[in-house]
Amino acid sequence: MTDTLGTQTVEERLGCLQELTKFTENCQKQLNDILETLGWSPEYDGSAQETMVQCPFDPNHRIPVRSLERHKSSCSLSKMGYSAEEQEGMYDSSVCYEKSNIRSVTMDEATQQQVILKARAAAPLMRMEGVFWQGEYTSQPLDVPQNHKRALCDLTVADRLALYDHVTGELNQQQQEAAANEDLYVDLVAKLKRDEQQGEPKSHLELMAEKRDYKRRRQSYRAKNVHITKKSYTEVIREVIKVHSGELAREWKEESCEEEKEKAEKKEKEQVKEKEEEERGSISSSKRRRSDDECSESRESQASHDRSRQRSRKHSPEREDRKRKKRDSGSPDERHHERKKKKKKKKKDEKEK
């Protein structure tokens, strides 16, 4: 019995010892992981301790200097309300475009608010079809969204369209500036070779340039024009700058001529409008004069008609008196004779009919 009890206690002790060793190993592993994340070493050395810096977003955080930038990015996102899962899905894509010529635009909170307010001021006050009005823009400042989900939640459709127009305009401006700078340092020889490879028909200037180069390659030309062939580097650069400055001056002159033409066209349009307005005024005045003349003629005709009526009224009693006198002057036989004549005339007329 004593032997069996002794073996059981030894086995139990061995099992407890294994459990304790596993537990200590797990604890040691967790401690090592924590020390690695914090950047600490398991052996404490007061002289070699790193300097700690306070986090600008949370004063309770103290971080070593070497991991400050990484902590600032994560802490700022957590302060803006992004969860750990959302932060894991965010990647800084600027690393992929460091060695490429792809252009980018940085957007901060101030520029975002300025763009939205500018678009809101240009929008109409009332609702209109096909156009965003001022009520559809946000008036309060917002944080710059760091992912697509937050952009859809925080910004309206009108805000996103205004930001898109701003970004495309900035990129187009950068492209134009880059193209203008490239034109100044363009390699004309490489351009000619490229055109030859493409098989396009050569222009008159290109043919003249080839002819000039052919003459310069001849030995007689080199012997005659030593002062041209043996130029220093500064002289060559001076000539290149002179050619490019002449091209720029020519372009500026063309732009100024176009502006002057536009101004002259505007003046001509204004003069034509003024002439049309004067013609309209003269036509309206002539119409008024005609209407006044017609009114005066109608008034004169009406006055003459009234006068004739008054005259007829004055002469009518005199005519009636004459008729009465004729009737009174005739005898009854004469009247009877006149009646017979009238009857005969009537009968003749009826027979003829």
PDB file of all heavy atoms in Angstrom, residues 71-104:
ATOM      1  N   HIS A  71       2.750  55.994 -34.432  1.00  0.00           N
ATOM      2  CA  HIS A  71       1.726  56.155 -33.408  1.00  0.00           C
ATOM      3  C   HIS A  71       0.808  57.348 -33.723  1.00  0.00           C
ATOM      4  O   HIS A  71      -0.400  57.289 -33.478  1.00  0.00           O
ATOM      5  CB  HIS A  71       2.388  56.347 -32.038  1.00  0.00           C
ATOM      6  CG  HIS A  71       1.387  56.595 -30.948  1.00  0.00           C
ATOM      7  ND1 HIS A  71       0.643  55.594 -30.365  1.00  0.00           N
ATOM      8  CD2 HIS A  71       1.002  57.763 -30.336  1.00  0.00           C
ATOM      9  CE1 HIS A  71      -0.154  56.111 -29.447  1.00  0.00           C
ATOM     10  NE2 HIS A  71       0.054  57.426 -29.406  1.00  0.00           N
ATOM     11  N   LYS A  72       1.368  58.427 -34.274  1.00  0.00           N
ATOM     12  CA  LYS A  72       0.555  59.597 -34.600  1.00  0.00           C
ATOM     13  C   LYS A  72      -0.507  59.268 -35.649  1.00  0.00           C
ATOM     14  O   LYS A  72      -1.662  59.684 -35.534  1.00  0.00           O
ATOM     15  CB  LYS A  72       1.454  60.721 -35.109  1.00  0.00           C
ATOM     16  CG  LYS A  72       2.153  61.489 -33.998  1.00  0.00           C
ATOM     17  CD  LYS A  72       3.255  62.376 -34.543  1.00  0.00           C
ATOM     18  CE  LYS A  72       2.720  63.499 -35.375  1.00  0.00           C
ATOM     19  NZ  LYS A  72       3.795  64.411 -35.833  1.00  0.00           N
ATOM     20  N   SER A  73      -0.123  58.503 -36.669  1.00  0.00           N
ATOM     21  CA  SER A  73      -1.098  58.143 -37.706  1.00  0.00           C
ATOM     22  C   SER A  73      -2.226  57.292 -37.144  1.00  0.00           C
ATOM     23  O   SER A  73      -3.412  57.543 -37.393  1.00  0.00           O
ATOM     24  CB  SER A  73      -0.396  57.411 -38.846  1.00  0.00           C
ATOM     25  OG  SER A  73       0.187  56.212 -38.362  1.00  0.00           O
ATOM     26  N   SER A  74      -1.876  56.304 -36.330  1.00  0.00           N
ATOM     27  CA  SER A  74      -2.912  55.430 -35.766  1.00  0.00           C
ATOM     28  C   SER A  74      -3.755  56.158 -34.727  1.00  0.00           C
ATOM     29  O   SER A  74      -4.980  55.997 -34.670  1.00  0.00           O
ATOM     30  CB  SER A  74      -2.274  54.191 -35.154  1.00  0.00           C
ATOM     31  OG  SER A  74      -1.421  54.559 -34.076  1.00  0.00           O
ATOM     32  N   CYS A  75      -3.127  57.000 -33.918  1.00  0.00           N
ATOM     33  CA  CYS A  75      -3.872  57.702 -32.867  1.00  0.00           C
ATOM     34  C   CYS A  75      -4.807  58.742 -33.469  1.00  0.00           C
ATOM     35  O   CYS A  75      -5.937  58.930 -32.996  1.00  0.00           O
ATOM     36  CB  CYS A  75      -2.882  58.368 -31.901  1.00  0.00           C
ATOM     37  SG  CYS A  75      -3.667  59.029 -30.414  1.00  0.00           S
ATOM     38  N   SER A  76      -4.380  59.440 -34.532  1.00  0.00           N
ATOM     39  CA  SER A  76      -5.261  60.418 -35.170  1.00  0.00           C
ATOM     40  C   SER A  76      -6.481  59.745 -35.785  1.00  0.00           C
ATOM     41  O   SER A  76      -7.606  60.253 -35.695  1.00  0.00           O
ATOM     42  CB  SER A  76      -4.481  61.174 -36.248  1.00  0.00           C
ATOM     43  OG  SER A  76      -4.053  60.299 -37.265  1.00  0.00           O
ATOM     44  N   LEU A  77      -6.276  58.567 -36.388  1.00  0.00           N
ATOM     45  CA  LEU A  77      -7.420  57.847 -36.955  1.00  0.00           C
ATOM     46  C   LEU A  77      -8.377  57.368 -35.884  1.00  0.00           C
ATOM     47  O   LEU A  77      -9.601  57.425 -36.048  1.00  0.00           O
ATOM     48  CB  LEU A  77      -6.912  56.653 -37.777  1.00  0.00           C
ATOM     49  CG  LEU A  77      -6.159  56.995 -39.068  1.00  0.00           C
ATOM     50  CD1 LEU A  77      -5.568  55.738 -39.672  1.00  0.00           C
ATOM     51  CD2 LEU A  77      -7.076  57.677 -40.058  1.00  0.00           C
ATOM     52  N   SER A  78      -7.832  56.898 -34.755  1.00  0.00           N
ATOM     53  CA  SER A  78      -8.711  56.461 -33.665  1.00  0.00           C
ATOM     54  C   SER A  78      -9.472  57.640 -33.062  1.00  0.00           C
ATOM     55  O   SER A  78     -10.639  57.502 -32.677  1.00  0.00           O
ATOM     56  CB  SER A  78      -7.891  55.752 -32.592  1.00  0.00           C
ATOM     57  OG  SER A  78      -6.909  56.636 -32.053  1.00  0.00           O
ATOM     58  N   LYS A  79      -8.856  58.806 -32.999  1.00  0.00           N
ATOM     59  CA  LYS A  79      -9.554  59.987 -32.501  1.00  0.00           C
ATOM     60  C   LYS A  79     -10.670  60.428 -33.460  1.00  0.00           C
ATOM     61  O   LYS A  79     -11.689  60.972 -33.038  1.00  0.00           O
ATOM     62  CB  LYS A  79      -8.568  61.142 -32.308  1.00  0.00           C
ATOM     63  CG  LYS A  79      -7.659  60.995 -31.098  1.00  0.00           C
ATOM     64  CD  LYS A  79      -8.437  61.149 -29.816  1.00  0.00           C
ATOM     65  CE  LYS A  79      -7.510  61.010 -28.608  1.00  0.00           C
ATOM     66  NZ  LYS A  79      -8.260  61.129 -27.331  1.00  0.00           N
ATOM     67  N   MET A  80     -10.498  60.197 -34.748  1.00  0.00           N
ATOM     68  CA  MET A  80     -11.516  60.546 -35.735  1.00  0.00           C
ATOM     69  C   MET A  80     -12.654  59.537 -35.793  1.00  0.00           C
ATOM     70  O   MET A  80     -13.643  59.759 -36.498  1.00  0.00           O
ATOM     71  CB  MET A  80     -10.876  60.670 -37.121  1.00  0.00           C
ATOM     72  CG  MET A  80      -9.952  61.872 -37.260  1.00  0.00           C
ATOM     73  SD  MET A  80      -8.919  61.813 -38.734  1.00  0.00           S
ATOM     74  CE  MET A  80     -10.139  61.964 -40.020  1.00  0.00           C
ATOM     75  N   GLY A  81     -12.521  58.436 -35.045  1.00  0.00           N
ATOM     76  CA  GLY A  81     -13.609  57.469 -34.955  1.00  0.00           C
ATOM     77  C   GLY A  81     -13.429  56.226 -35.793  1.00  0.00           C
ATOM     78  O   GLY A  81     -14.371  55.447 -35.951  1.00  0.00           O
ATOM     79  N   TYR A  82     -12.232  55.994 -36.344  1.00  0.00           N
ATOM     80  CA  TYR A  82     -11.993  54.800 -37.149  1.00  0.00           C
ATOM     81  C   TYR A  82     -11.639  53.632 -36.233  1.00  0.00           C
ATOM     82  O   TYR A  82     -10.799  53.769 -35.335  1.00  0.00           O
ATOM     83  CB  TYR A  82     -10.863  55.043 -38.144  1.00  0.00           C
ATOM     84  CG  TYR A  82     -11.214  56.032 -39.224  1.00  0.00           C
ATOM     85  CD1 TYR A  82     -10.906  57.381 -39.080  1.00  0.00           C
ATOM     86  CD2 TYR A  82     -11.865  55.620 -40.375  1.00  0.00           C
ATOM     87  CE1 TYR A  82     -11.233  58.297 -40.059  1.00  0.00           C
ATOM     88  CE2 TYR A  82     -12.201  56.535 -41.368  1.00  0.00           C
ATOM     89  CZ  TYR A  82     -11.881  57.863 -41.197  1.00  0.00           C
ATOM     90  OH  TYR A  82     -12.216  58.773 -42.177  1.00  0.00           O
ATOM     91  N   SER A  83     -12.253  52.504 -36.486  1.00  0.00           N
ATOM     92  CA  SER A  83     -11.987  51.323 -35.670  1.00  0.00           C
ATOM     93  C   SER A  83     -10.672  50.663 -36.096  1.00  0.00           C
ATOM     94  O   SER A  83     -10.059  51.033 -37.099  1.00  0.00           O
ATOM     95  CB  SER A  83     -13.145  50.325 -35.815  1.00  0.00           C
ATOM     96  OG  SER A  83     -13.265  49.903 -37.160  1.00  0.00           O
ATOM     97  N   ALA A  84     -10.249  49.656 -35.305  1.00  0.00           N
ATOM     98  CA  ALA A  84      -8.995  48.957 -35.606  1.00  0.00           C
ATOM     99  C   ALA A  84      -9.105  48.191 -36.929  1.00  0.00           C
ATOM    100  O   ALA A  84      -8.142  48.106 -37.693  1.00  0.00           O
ATOM    101  CB  ALA A  84      -8.644  48.001 -34.475  1.00  0.00           C
ATOM    102  N   GLU A  85     -10.296  47.626 -37.215  1.00  0.00           N
ATOM    103  CA  GLU A  85     -10.475  46.900 -38.477  1.00  0.00           C
ATOM    104  C   GLU A  85     -10.364  47.850 -39.670  1.00  0.00           C
ATOM    105  O   GLU A  85      -9.762  47.511 -40.689  1.00  0.00           O
ATOM    106  CB  GLU A  85     -11.842  46.213 -38.473  1.00  0.00           C
ATOM    107  CG  GLU A  85     -11.960  45.120 -37.414  1.00  0.00           C
ATOM    108  CD  GLU A  85     -13.340  44.502 -37.394  1.00  0.00           C
ATOM    109  OE1 GLU A  85     -14.223  45.015 -38.138  1.00  0.00           O
ATOM    110  OE2 GLU A  85     -13.548  43.531 -36.651  1.00  0.00           O
ATOM    111  N   GLU A  86     -10.944  49.041 -39.550  1.00  0.00           N
ATOM    112  CA  GLU A  86     -10.848  50.012 -40.640  1.00  0.00           C
ATOM    113  C   GLU A  86      -9.412  50.492 -40.837  1.00  0.00           C
ATOM    114  O   GLU A  86      -8.965  50.708 -41.964  1.00  0.00           O
ATOM    115  CB  GLU A  86     -11.762  51.206 -40.365  1.00  0.00           C
ATOM    116  CG  GLU A  86     -13.239  50.888 -40.463  1.00  0.00           C
ATOM    117  CD  GLU A  86     -14.105  52.078 -40.107  1.00  0.00           C
ATOM    118  OE1 GLU A  86     -13.604  53.011 -39.449  1.00  0.00           O
ATOM    119  OE2 GLU A  86     -15.286  52.078 -40.486  1.00  0.00           O
ATOM    120  N   GLN A  87      -8.677  50.643 -39.740  1.00  0.00           N
ATOM    121  CA  GLN A  87      -7.284  51.061 -39.845  1.00  0.00           C
ATOM    122  C   GLN A  87      -6.420  49.996 -40.511  1.00  0.00           C
ATOM    123  O   GLN A  87      -5.470  50.313 -41.246  1.00  0.00           O
ATOM    124  CB  GLN A  87      -6.732  51.388 -38.456  1.00  0.00           C
ATOM    125  CG  GLN A  87      -7.338  52.638 -37.839  1.00  0.00           C
ATOM    126  CD  GLN A  87      -6.746  52.961 -36.483  1.00  0.00           C
ATOM    127  OE1 GLN A  87      -5.653  52.514 -36.163  1.00  0.00           O
ATOM    128  NE2 GLN A  87      -7.470  53.739 -35.688  1.00  0.00           N
ATOM    129  N   GLU A  88      -6.735  48.728 -40.276  1.00  0.00           N
ATOM    130  CA  GLU A  88      -5.988  47.667 -40.933  1.00  0.00           C
ATOM    131  C   GLU A  88      -6.214  47.678 -42.443  1.00  0.00           C
ATOM    132  O   GLU A  88      -5.318  47.335 -43.221  1.00  0.00           O
ATOM    133  CB  GLU A  88      -6.396  46.306 -40.358  1.00  0.00           C
ATOM    134  CG  GLU A  88      -5.878  46.075 -38.941  1.00  0.00           C
ATOM    135  CD  GLU A  88      -6.350  44.746 -38.385  1.00  0.00           C
ATOM    136  OE1 GLU A  88      -7.090  44.047 -39.119  1.00  0.00           O
ATOM    137  OE2 GLU A  88      -5.983  44.410 -37.249  1.00  0.00           O
ATOM    138  N   GLY A  89      -7.409  48.072 -42.877  1.00  0.00           N
ATOM    139  CA  GLY A  89      -7.714  48.123 -44.312  1.00  0.00           C
ATOM    140  C   GLY A  89      -7.165  49.338 -45.017  1.00  0.00           C
ATOM    141  O   GLY A  89      -7.238  49.429 -46.252  1.00  0.00           O
ATOM    142  N   MET A  90      -6.639  50.303 -44.271  1.00  0.00           N
ATOM    143  CA  MET A  90      -6.080  51.515 -44.880  1.00  0.00           C
ATOM    144  C   MET A  90      -4.597  51.309 -45.177  1.00  0.00           C
ATOM    145  O   MET A  90      -3.841  50.823 -44.331  1.00  0.00           O
ATOM    146  CB  MET A  90      -6.242  52.709 -43.929  1.00  0.00           C
ATOM    147  CG  MET A  90      -7.674  53.104 -43.660  1.00  0.00           C
ATOM    148  SD  MET A  90      -7.763  54.468 -42.503  1.00  0.00           S
ATOM    149  CE  MET A  90      -9.523  54.545 -42.228  1.00  0.00           C
ATOM    150  N   TYR A  91      -4.205  51.710 -46.390  1.00  0.00           N
ATOM    151  CA  TYR A  91      -2.809  51.606 -46.795  1.00  0.00           C
ATOM    152  C   TYR A  91      -2.392  52.923 -47.434  1.00  0.00           C
ATOM    153  O   TYR A  91      -3.172  53.561 -48.140  1.00  0.00           O
ATOM    154  CB  TYR A  91      -2.610  50.459 -47.795  1.00  0.00           C
ATOM    155  CG  TYR A  91      -2.956  49.099 -47.241  1.00  0.00           C
ATOM    156  CD1 TYR A  91      -4.174  48.511 -47.530  1.00  0.00           C
ATOM    157  CD2 TYR A  91      -2.066  48.420 -46.413  1.00  0.00           C
ATOM    158  CE1 TYR A  91      -4.509  47.269 -47.016  1.00  0.00           C
ATOM    159  CE2 TYR A  91      -2.396  47.181 -45.889  1.00  0.00           C
ATOM    160  CZ  TYR A  91      -3.612  46.610 -46.194  1.00  0.00           C
ATOM    161  OH  TYR A  91      -3.946  45.387 -45.678  1.00  0.00           O
ATOM    162  N   ASP A  92      -1.166  53.305 -47.172  1.00  0.00           N
ATOM    163  CA  ASP A  92      -0.608  54.521 -47.772  1.00  0.00           C
ATOM    164  C   ASP A  92      -0.117  54.188 -49.179  1.00  0.00           C
ATOM    165  O   ASP A  92       0.903  53.519 -49.358  1.00  0.00           O
ATOM    166  CB  ASP A  92       0.541  55.057 -46.910  1.00  0.00           C
ATOM    167  CG  ASP A  92       1.010  56.420 -47.383  1.00  0.00           C
ATOM    168  OD1 ASP A  92       0.344  56.993 -48.270  1.00  0.00           O
ATOM    169  OD2 ASP A  92       2.037  56.900 -46.872  1.00  0.00           O
ATOM    170  N   SER A  93      -0.886  54.629 -50.182  1.00  0.00           N
ATOM    171  CA  SER A  93      -0.561  54.291 -51.578  1.00  0.00           C
ATOM    172  C   SER A  93       0.519  55.189 -52.181  1.00  0.00           C
ATOM    173  O   SER A  93       0.917  54.978 -53.324  1.00  0.00           O
ATOM    174  CB  SER A  93      -1.823  54.389 -52.445  1.00  0.00           C
ATOM    175  OG  SER A  93      -2.359  55.691 -52.386  1.00  0.00           O
ATOM    176  N   SER A  94       1.000  56.197 -51.437  1.00  0.00           N
ATOM    177  CA  SER A  94       2.016  57.091 -52.003  1.00  0.00           C
ATOM    178  C   SER A  94       3.343  56.376 -52.230  1.00  0.00           C
ATOM    179  O   SER A  94       4.154  56.795 -53.057  1.00  0.00           O
ATOM    180  CB  SER A  94       2.233  58.286 -51.071  1.00  0.00           C
ATOM    181  OG  SER A  94       2.692  57.859 -49.800  1.00  0.00           O
ATOM    182  N   VAL A  95       3.586  55.279 -51.517  1.00  0.00           N
ATOM    183  CA  VAL A  95       4.829  54.519 -51.693  1.00  0.00           C
ATOM    184  C   VAL A  95       4.904  53.905 -53.092  1.00  0.00           C
ATOM    185  O   VAL A  95       5.983  53.797 -53.682  1.00  0.00           O
ATOM    186  CB  VAL A  95       4.928  53.422 -50.612  1.00  0.00           C
ATOM    187  CG1 VAL A  95       6.210  52.626 -50.764  1.00  0.00           C
ATOM    188  CG2 VAL A  95       4.836  54.033 -49.226  1.00  0.00           C
ATOM    189  N   CYS A  96       3.754  53.548 -53.657  1.00  0.00           N
ATOM    190  CA  CYS A  96       3.737  52.903 -54.974  1.00  0.00           C
ATOM    191  C   CYS A  96       4.048  53.881 -56.099  1.00  0.00           C
ATOM    192  O   CYS A  96       4.388  53.454 -57.205  1.00  0.00           O
ATOM    193  CB  CYS A  96       2.379  52.253 -55.219  1.00  0.00           C
ATOM    194  SG  CYS A  96       1.900  51.054 -53.968  1.00  0.00           S
ATOM    195  N   TYR A  97       3.897  55.187 -55.850  1.00  0.00           N
ATOM    196  CA  TYR A  97       4.054  56.186 -56.907  1.00  0.00           C
ATOM    197  C   TYR A  97       5.273  57.083 -56.695  1.00  0.00           C
ATOM    198  O   TYR A  97       5.348  58.160 -57.265  1.00  0.00           O
ATOM    199  CB  TYR A  97       2.803  57.056 -56.991  1.00  0.00           C
ATOM    200  CG  TYR A  97       1.527  56.274 -57.147  1.00  0.00           C
ATOM    201  CD1 TYR A  97       0.560  56.277 -56.144  1.00  0.00           C
ATOM    202  CD2 TYR A  97       1.284  55.536 -58.292  1.00  0.00           C
ATOM    203  CE1 TYR A  97      -0.616  55.559 -56.291  1.00  0.00           C
ATOM    204  CE2 TYR A  97       0.120  54.815 -58.456  1.00  0.00           C
ATOM    205  CZ  TYR A  97      -0.827  54.829 -57.445  1.00  0.00           C
ATOM    206  OH  TYR A  97      -1.982  54.113 -57.597  1.00  0.00           O
ATOM    207  N   GLU A  98       6.225  56.640 -55.861  1.00  0.00           N
ATOM    208  CA  GLU A  98       7.393  57.471 -55.598  1.00  0.00           C
ATOM    209  C   GLU A  98       8.280  57.609 -56.828  1.00  0.00           C
ATOM    210  O   GLU A  98       8.768  58.696 -57.141  1.00  0.00           O
ATOM    211  CB  GLU A  98       8.184  56.887 -54.429  1.00  0.00           C
ATOM    212  CG  GLU A  98       7.519  57.101 -53.074  1.00  0.00           C
ATOM    213  CD  GLU A  98       8.332  56.500 -51.952  1.00  0.00           C
ATOM    214  OE1 GLU A  98       9.325  55.791 -52.271  1.00  0.00           O
ATOM    215  OE2 GLU A  98       8.000  56.712 -50.774  1.00  0.00           O
ATOM    216  N   LYS A  99       8.488  56.531 -57.567  1.00  0.00           N
ATOM    217  CA  LYS A  99       9.386  56.544 -58.715  1.00  0.00           C
ATOM    218  C   LYS A  99       8.642  56.692 -60.042  1.00  0.00           C
ATOM    219  O   LYS A  99       9.199  56.432 -61.100  1.00  0.00           O
ATOM    220  CB  LYS A  99      10.200  55.255 -58.743  1.00  0.00           C
ATOM    221  CG  LYS A  99      11.118  55.104 -57.541  1.00  0.00           C
ATOM    222  CD  LYS A  99      11.923  53.820 -57.636  1.00  0.00           C
ATOM    223  CE  LYS A  99      12.846  53.663 -56.442  1.00  0.00           C
ATOM    224  NZ  LYS A  99      13.641  52.410 -56.516  1.00  0.00           N
ATOM    225  N   SER A 100       7.384  57.111 -60.011  1.00  0.00           N
ATOM    226  CA  SER A 100       6.592  57.284 -61.226  1.00  0.00           C
ATOM    227  C   SER A 100       6.246  58.759 -61.409  1.00  0.00           C
ATOM    228  O   SER A 100       6.444  59.579 -60.516  1.00  0.00           O
ATOM    229  CB  SER A 100       5.310  56.449 -61.154  1.00  0.00           C
ATOM    230  OG  SER A 100       4.508  56.895 -60.068  1.00  0.00           O
ATOM    231  N   ASN A 101       5.720  59.084 -62.604  1.00  0.00           N
ATOM    232  CA  ASN A 101       5.365  60.465 -62.930  1.00  0.00           C
ATOM    233  C   ASN A 101       3.886  60.753 -62.704  1.00  0.00           C
ATOM    234  O   ASN A 101       3.335  61.687 -63.290  1.00  0.00           O
ATOM    235  CB  ASN A 101       5.717  60.752 -64.392  1.00  0.00           C
ATOM    236  CG  ASN A 101       7.215  60.701 -64.626  1.00  0.00           C
ATOM    237  OD1 ASN A 101       7.991  61.096 -63.765  1.00  0.00           O
ATOM    238  ND2 ASN A 101       7.616  60.205 -65.793  1.00  0.00           N
ATOM    239  N   ILE A 102       3.228  59.942 -61.896  1.00  0.00           N
ATOM    240  CA  ILE A 102       1.803  60.147 -61.627  1.00  0.00           C
ATOM    241  C   ILE A 102       1.644  61.313 -60.667  1.00  0.00           C
ATOM    242  O   ILE A 102       2.277  61.359 -59.608  1.00  0.00           O
ATOM    243  CB  ILE A 102       1.172  58.865 -61.058  1.00  0.00           C
ATOM    244  CG1 ILE A 102       1.258  57.748 -62.090  1.00  0.00           C
ATOM    245  CG2 ILE A 102      -0.275  59.111 -60.670  1.00  0.00           C
ATOM    246  CD1 ILE A 102       0.838  56.403 -61.588  1.00  0.00           C
ATOM    247  N   ARG A 103       0.772  62.253 -61.028  1.00  0.00           N
ATOM    248  CA  ARG A 103       0.564  63.454 -60.206  1.00  0.00           C
ATOM    249  C   ARG A 103      -0.490  63.191 -59.136  1.00  0.00           C
ATOM    250  O   ARG A 103      -1.397  62.377 -59.342  1.00  0.00           O
ATOM    251  CB  ARG A 103       0.142  64.630 -61.088  1.00  0.00           C
ATOM    252  CG  ARG A 103       1.192  65.009 -62.111  1.00  0.00           C
ATOM    253  CD  ARG A 103       0.679  66.063 -63.068  1.00  0.00           C
ATOM    254  NE  ARG A 103       1.664  66.338 -64.098  1.00  0.00           N
ATOM    255  CZ  ARG A 103       1.786  65.638 -65.209  1.00  0.00           C
ATOM    256  NH1 ARG A 103       0.958  64.624 -65.432  1.00  0.00           N
ATOM    257  NH2 ARG A 103       2.710  65.934 -66.091  1.00  0.00           N
ATOM    258  N   SER A 104      -0.366  63.886 -58.025  1.00  0.00           N
ATOM    259  CA  SER A 104      -1.303  63.719 -56.914  1.00  0.00           C
ATOM    260  C   SER A 104      -1.626  65.080 -56.303  1.00  0.00           C
ATOM    261  O   SER A 104      -0.887  66.047 -56.499  1.00  0.00           O
ATOM    262  CB  SER A 104      -0.716  62.789 -55.841  1.00  0.00           C
ATOM    263  OG  SER A 104       0.470  63.372 -55.306  1.00  0.00           O
TER     264      SER A 104
END
